[in-house]
Amino acid sequence: MKRVYNFSPGPSMLALPVLEQVQKDLVSYGSTGMSVMEMSHRSKMYQEIFDQAVELLKELMHVPENYKVLLLQGGATQQFSAVPLNLMKTGRADYVDSGNFAHLAAEEAKRYGEVRIAGSSRAENYTFVPEADVSPEADYVHITTNNTIYGTRFTALPDTKGVPLVADMSSNILSEPYDVSRFGVVYAGAQKNIGPAGLCVLIVREDLLGRAHPLCPKLLNWQVEAEANSMYNTPNTFAIYVAKLGFEWLRSLGGVEAIEKVNVEKAALLYDYLDDSRLFKPTAQKAFRSRMNVTFVTGDPDKDAQFVKEAAAAGLVNLKGHRTVGGMRASIYNAMPVEGVKALVDFMKQFEMKNA
Ligand SMILES: *Cc1c(COP(=O)(O)O)cnc(C)c1O
């Protein structure tokens, strides 16, 4: 069996050593005689896996003592509702509209209170990350650190003037170091840089717990989950176990600081080539280029489609851009090896020679 280089935006590639460990443990985890999927989430054996996952994430991100790490369900999208339900104390929040998911988060928050757009690049098709002008009256300000669909990233965090900063970090968590103490809340769906879908990691500063709206469903209430150690109900036990293996893999490589260097190298390989290409053009503004999602076009939709098809036949799959933008997108998260990006650039060069 040959594995392909999978450039999917999510669910996306997992590191091979992680998959191989899952395979080894699948039918019987250690000497338990059962799969992790068959374990009670309250069992001692499973609790160890769970606690290790939390500890590893804290270690990798240098999470300060006064933060809680929650392992939740419902993906990042569920937090689009949970964030306002947990944090809108006076009913006002600021949102930076830097992409499709950022927009959806703001639209959802409007159902619960007054949302002020503190900066938007929507009218310019989200080709850059706008400046954030934060109102000191806001209960929080929400940003999306990496814009998965448009291939842009925040290169500097906004000055929030003491207003808690809430970040959707779904598509670049663990790809570069962040100072967690600058955030009130960080959350991320797992299926991009952590593990399987159906798991959402949430890191919350303890003083922000206990502010939830009375009608906030219990399952979305961070304080309830913090008190129950993320087990108010049955968590996504299997995804958490795979995430734990992913964290171990990342630590074995030298952690976030080490993988950042690899990510910078991978992104440079692609952007350097794109900047010189006579056929392909990068779509994000240079100063805001994502290191995780590289978006580009030929300018001719037929040629784009031909490229995506021929690349797939060569073992470079899922390069089609999001339906709202077209063109191509290469998602190169932590688990994508440098060799995969080199193979893609080589293929693009060949395609350019034949088609430019
Ligand atoms: C993928 C993604 C989401 C949606 O995640 P789900 O787990 O499908 O809810 C939200 N925000 C960002 C930035 C994403 O990349």
Side-chain angles (χ1 to χ4, degrees), residues 74-113:
T77 305
Q78 180 155 280
Q79 297 308 317
F80 294 173
S81 320
V83 165
L85 281 165
N86 279 276
L87 293 180
M88 269 190 179
K89 222 168 137 187
T90 69
R92 273 175 302 195
D94 278 10
Y95 277 72
V96 180
D97 182 18
S98 59
N100 179 64
F101 289 114
H103 188 74
L104 291 174
E107 286 297 311
E108 178 65 12
K110 279 181 191 165
R111 305 181 59 218
Y112 306 103

Side-chain angles (χ1 to χ4, degrees), residues 74-78 80 101 144 146 148 168-171 189-192:
T77 305
Q78 180 155 280
F80 294 173
F101 289 114
T144 311
N146 182 78
T148 324
D168 176 357
M169 224 179 253
S170 293
S171 52
Q191 68 273 28
K192 284 138 193 175

Side-chain angles (χ1 to χ4, degrees), residues 51 96 126 131 202 204 220 330:
D51 291 344
V96 180
Y126 296 126
E131 288 268 325
L202 187 124
V204 53
L220 302 196

